[in-house]
Amino acid sequence: MYTIFKFYFLTTYLHLSYSFTQFTSWVDHTFTAHSFYMFLKYIAIPFLVFTITYFVSLLIITRYYFDKLKSEKKNVEAEINDFLADLIFSNYSFNETKLKIVAFKNTDIFKNKWCKYLILDKLIHIKKNIKAVNPNLILIIYKQFRLNEYSQKLINRKKWYYKSLGFYHYQSLDYKIKKAYVKPYLESKNKYLKSNALIALIALSDEKFDILKNYDEKISRADEMKILDLIYQKKSVIPKTINSWLDSNNPSVIILAIKLMVRYRENITASRIKYLLLHQDIIVRKEIILAIRKLVIFDANKTLILHYKKESDIRNKISILKTLTIIGDYTTLYFAINLLDVEKNIDIKFEIINCISKIDKAYFDDFTTDDEAENELIKKIVLHVNNPCLN
């Protein structure tokens, strides 16, 4: 097929060369309609036809080789799947495993450059998705194929994303011995590299919390979710000193500590709650209010009522009211009733009415004020509170 296209392009090129020679004979004449016609006939149209034919042919050839490569990769992938399944689930000894890998390396399949990268992807996929697999065996296969050298080469490269990919290999395969290669990058000026190094170190550490305890950098929301997910997956035990984390100078560490205490249903003392409610970081205050709600700490009822007037953030005020709806009593009811006339923000007013209704369902049955507009507004909110499906 390629030879046919090559012959076609050669003959077309010769035709274009001849056409150009014919056209040059009219160059010295005045540019007339006839000369323009000759330009179109011998230059423009042949060139356009050649260009279109060339790109269409190139597209066909590219598609042909793409489909061929795709089919080849599919076959190789099937061979690799069978090989790894046999290797991992057949209880071979170390020497037998080693010999089988050596034999596989000598096959035509392994001669493809991308074959070992495909093996690495498969090993990571197996490690992540099959819990019963022997992690030491996965590492043996990883090292016998010398894929650890590939990971190390990635870390030695200059670009941060190559280094991060190397970290990911160690992290995914639980290659704990390589922690020392990752740790220096916690001091990197590149925030993405530093972030990926932190996640990898947490994943590779036996004591997941040791790294976080004295960490002084801000932890992004995305990294926070990754860290919590890693800790939950590993079923780590909450550290005995978790309460001391709440005194950290790093708000990110405090937020993580609060979330961990909620996750493990750890009690938060009244003194800690008062301290954290006065924290200058809005997110810290938000998380402790949410923690009180999730842990249903009834003893924090009066503390939240007293804090409400001090809170500067509207979203946190709304969160306080939502929490008081869960843990509130008749003290809360009187507080909310007095607040109803004071607060004008519609979102806050909605939560006040919701709080009152949840504590005393009959309160608004005969409720009325001198302000007709206020009466109408409260009726609509009460209707919505009692029928949340209404718009």
Side-chain angles (χ1 to χ4, degrees), residues 76-327:
V76 170
E77 188 173 0
E79 292 283 347
I80 290 172
N81 286 339
D82 292 342
F83 171 72
L84 290 177
D86 176 59
L87 209 59
I88 292 169
F89 300 109
S90 296
N91 295 319
Y92 292 122
S93 66
F94 173 75
N95 288 331
E96 288 173 325
T97 300
K98 188 175 178 180
L99 288 172
K100 281 188 169 291
I101 290 173
V102 170
F104 187 81
K105 282 182 177 181
N106 292 324
T107 61
D108 291 336
I109 294 172
F110 196 73
K111 290 178 183 178
N112 294 298
K113 292 181 179 180
W114 38 264
C115 182
K116 66 177 182 179
Y117 307 131
L118 192 56
I119 291 171
L120 178 55
D121 288 341
K122 294 292 179 185
L123 287 174
I124 291 173
H125 180 77
I126 291 168
K127 180 69 170 64
K128 281 186 171 183
N129 294 282
I130 304 176
K131 302 300 181 184
V133 70
N134 183 349
N136 293 325
L137 178 58
I138 295 290
L139 282 176
I140 288 170
I141 298 169
Y142 173 66
K143 287 186 279 187
Q144 287 300 312
F145 275 110
R146 303 181 73 175
L147 292 168
N148 56 322
E149 294 178 11
Y150 167 63
S151 300
Q152 188 60 55
K153 283 179 182 178
L154 288 173
I155 292 174
N156 292 338
R157 295 185 70 168
K158 290 184 178 181
K159 299 292 185 181
W160 69 267
Y161 43 85
Y162 289 123
K163 293 178 184 292
S164 296
L165 182 57
F167 297 163
Y168 173 72
H169 293 164
Y170 292 161
Q171 173 188 331
S172 301
L173 298 171
D174 206 19
Y175 200 8
K176 295 180 180 180
I177 199 172
K178 293 294 184 178
K179 283 188 294 184
Y181 289 93
V182 180
K183 195 170 185 178
Y185 293 98
L186 283 178
E187 307 299 325
S188 173
K189 293 180 179 179
N190 185 302
K191 64 178 181 179
Y192 302 110
L193 184 58
K194 183 187 291 186
S195 166
N196 290 322
L198 175 64
I199 301 300
L201 273 174
I202 292 170
L204 294 171
S205 299
D206 292 321
E207 295 296 332
K208 306 289 178 258
F209 304 99
D210 285 352
I211 297 166
L212 295 169
K213 185 177 179 180
N214 300 312
Y215 193 70
D216 56 4
E217 297 288 336
K218 183 177 180 180
I219 300 172
S220 69
R221 174 70 173 168
D223 285 345
E224 183 184 295
M225 297 303 293
K226 289 177 187 175
I227 291 167
L228 290 170
D229 185 54
L230 277 172
I231 291 170
Y232 298 160
Q233 283 182 9
K234 300 287 184 178
K235 297 181 180 179
S236 303
V237 178
I238 191 168
K240 294 178 181 178
T241 58
I242 190 70
N243 273 288
S244 66
W245 290 29
L246 300 176
D247 296 323
S248 173
N249 293 323
N250 185 353
S252 295
V253 173
I254 297 174
I255 291 166
L256 268 175
I258 293 170
K259 289 187 174 182
L260 285 168
M261 293 176 86
V262 171
R263 172 66 177 80
Y264 291 100
R265 313 301 296 176
E266 194 76 12
N267 182 49
I268 305 176
T269 63
S271 59
R272 293 287 183 186
I273 290 171
K274 288 178 182 178
Y275 168 74
L276 293 172
L277 284 173
L278 295 175
H279 200 282
Q280 62 181 2
D281 191 283
I282 292 173
I283 308 300
V284 170
R285 301 200 301 272
K286 171 193 165 187
E287 290 301 331
I288 191 61
I289 294 166
L290 188 60
I292 294 168
R293 190 190 317 163
K294 288 184 175 180
L295 294 173
V296 195
I297 305 174
F298 291 106
D299 293 342
N301 184 50
K302 289 183 180 179
T303 304
L304 280 182
I305 290 173
L306 291 172
H307 175 70
Y308 183 86
K309 291 181 180 179
K310 300 174 186 176
E311 180 56 59
S312 59
D313 184 73
I314 290 177
R315 300 312 305 173
N316 280 351
K317 282 190 169 188
I318 291 171
S319 187
I320 288 171
L321 291 166
K322 286 182 176 180
T323 304
L324 288 173
T325 302
I326 303 296
I327 66 171

